[in-house]
Amino acid sequence: MKTIIALIATILLIPLAQSADDKQTVLIVVTNYGQMPDGKTTGLWLAEATHPWQKFVKAGYQVHFASPKGGNSPIDPRSTKKPDAINDQFLNHKAYQNALKNTKVLKDLDPNNYAAIFFAGGHGTMWDFPNAAGASEIAGKIYSQGGIVSAVCHGPAALVNLKLPDGTLLIKGKKVTGFTNSEEEKVGLTKAVPFLLEDKLKSQGASYSSGEDFKLHTVVSDRLVTGQNPASAGPAAEAVIKLLKNSR
């Protein structure tokens, strides 16, 4: 079975192993935070990185991974409990696993090298994304020079303090979504997280909307793309791809 999975992964994701210097590059940012203050294990919600990665690669884009501190991005074990073919493909290839174990340091990157930035979610992001070094400098510059900024689920935690080069908040006056207060309550982590993402996005001047809990909901506002929850990860990436292709 593992051999079959590996073969399928090779067929679907083989572009990752190819050199394509002429391709545009998308930067996926993931968390370094693996344990909540109360001791609960957290980290990256794996599908919120792997599903967008596959979408971007199949559309012909290169993908790099970064995190606030660089190095390993811990995977929330809850995110691997349910069957997920794309996660299986990812986890059965050392090269793909290494992309999460050896992420680039966000603040050290040159925004001119990226056409889009995608902040993947997971509860860990609620602690290290809001004040991540380099987030405004990289994402703000990407946006100001015509690129795409995107985030899914708890990934929009990166947007709450994210500023453009002129000092204004990127999300002010823009339509956004993200993990809802209701969804947070249903997973039992309302008291564990440092703030409620829905409330924070609203308080900073964003026009927040949501769909049904745990169902697909994405929002596009100019060149800002956000997805509400894990079900929205792949579709949010597709929205980014559509914007990138239309900008050519």
Side-chain angles (χ1 to χ4, degrees):
M1 178 60 70
K2 289 185 177 180
T3 301
I4 294 174
I5 292 173
L7 179 58
I8 294 172
T10 301
I11 293 171
L12 292 178
L13 299 180
I14 194 169
L16 291 173
Q18 296 176 339
S19 175
D21 294 336
D22 59 330
K23 292 182 180 178
Q24 289 182 302
T25 304
V26 177
L27 180 65
I28 296 180
V29 185
V30 291
T31 184
N32 295 119
Y33 202 90
Q35 188 174 52
M36 300 182 195
D38 63 3
K40 289 186 178 74
T41 300
T42 186
L44 164 70
W45 200 265
L46 185 59
E48 293 173 20
T50 61
H51 286 226
W53 190 3
Q54 190 201 47
K55 295 287 186 183
F56 291 133
V57 169
K58 291 182 73 174
Y61 297 91
Q62 292 190 86
V63 177
H64 292 170
F65 272 107
S67 61
K69 294 181 179 180
N72 184 54
S73 178
I75 298 171
D76 189 323
R78 296 175 302 159
S79 71
T80 60
K81 287 184 177 180
K82 292 183 178 180
D84 185 308
I86 297 174
N87 282 351
D88 289 343
Q89 293 160 12
F90 186 93
L91 293 174
N92 276 279
H93 280 265
K94 288 186 177 180
Y96 306 150
Q97 292 179 48
N98 286 340
L100 289 183
K101 292 179 179 179
N102 299 283
T103 62
K104 302 174 185 293
V105 179
L106 181 61
K107 69 180 179 62
D108 292 344
L109 301 179
D110 183 348
N112 295 307
N113 292 334
Y114 300 99
I117 185 168
F118 190 101
F119 292 96
H123 277 86
T125 66
M126 295 290 283
W127 282 269
D128 65 353
F129 271 19
N131 297 300
S136 288
E137 291 79 3
I138 304 300
K141 181 66 179 297
I142 288 172
Y143 188 87
S144 68
Q145 62 192 17
I148 317 300
V149 174
S150 51
V152 68
C153 198
H154 288 89
L159 306 179
V160 301
N161 295 321
L162 204 156
K163 295 181 179 179
L164 297 170
D166 65 3
T168 61
L169 288 170
L170 170 62
I171 62 173
K172 188 174 183 179
K174 289 190 173 63
K175 297 176 181 179
V176 303
T177 190
F179 207 63
T180 68
N181 291 352
S182 175
E183 288 170 325
E184 202 69 82
E185 184 176 355
K186 287 179 179 178
V187 299
L189 293 173
T190 298
K191 301 299 183 182
V193 292
F195 57 88
L196 292 176
L197 184 57
E198 176 182 338
D199 290 350
K200 181 68 77 172
L201 293 170
K202 290 176 179 177
S203 73
Q204 294 196 320
S207 177
Y208 179 90
S209 71
S210 62
E212 186 178 348
D213 285 354
F214 306 110
K215 300 295 185 181
L216 165 63
H217 180 67
T218 60
V219 174
V220 178
S221 185
D222 190 22
R223 286 173 286 103
L224 175 64
V225 177
T226 47
Q228 180 178 318
N229 45 39
S232 309
E238 290 173 347
V240 173
I241 292 166
K242 183 176 180 179
L243 289 174
L244 289 171
K245 291 186 180 298
N246 289 341
S247 68
R248 289 179 179 176

